[in-house]
């Protein structure tokens, strides 16, 4: 599995996936609002969502755990 970490500080604006969901390459997983900008967090490859560590409206910092994805499906 591959942990996806936040590259920015901000607020979780929207979560677009759910646990156990299969996602395609370059799927938007969630949206972070940072300094009035909406920044999508996307997958690099097709995979399965294993765990989601945040919820909408959470305040996050750079380096925080966001989502765990298994790319070996």
């Amino acid at each position: 599995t591959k942990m996806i970490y936040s590259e920015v500080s901000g607020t979780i604006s929207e979560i677009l996936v759910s646990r156990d969901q299969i996602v395609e390459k370059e799927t938007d997983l969630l949206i972070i609002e940072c300094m009035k900008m909406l920044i999508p967090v996307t997958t690099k490859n097709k995979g399965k969502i294993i765990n989601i560590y945040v919820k909408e409206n959470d305040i996050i910092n750079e380096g925080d755990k966001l989502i765990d994805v298994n790319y070996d499906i």
Side-chain angles (χ1 to χ4, degrees):
T1 62
K2 170 106 167 84
M3 182 67 63
I4 297 176
Y5 297 92
S6 179
E7 296 180 5
V8 296
S9 297
T11 304
I12 303 295
S13 175
E14 190 175 4
I15 296 176
L16 305 170
V17 294
S18 56
R19 193 169 180 203
D20 296 326
Q21 181 176 338
I22 302 295
V23 293
E24 297 300 321
K25 182 178 180 180
E26 297 180 6
T27 298
D28 289 348
L29 303 176
L30 54 82
I31 307 293
I32 300 172
E33 183 176 335
C34 174
M35 297 171 37
K36 305 284 186 208
M37 293 175 41
L38 297 177
I39 301 167
V41 175
T42 61
T43 57
K44 303 281 188 257
N45 295 300
K46 182 176 180 176
K48 180 179 180 181
I49 305 301
I50 302 300
N51 208 348
I52 301 172
Y53 296 94
V54 293
K55 58 188 184 304
E56 290 183 4
N57 299 313
D58 278 1
I59 296 170
I60 57 161
N61 294 304
E62 183 177 344
D64 284 358
K65 288 185 201 178
L66 299 176
I67 294 180
D68 201 8
V69 181
N70 181 1
Y71 290 121
D72 300 323
I73 60 166

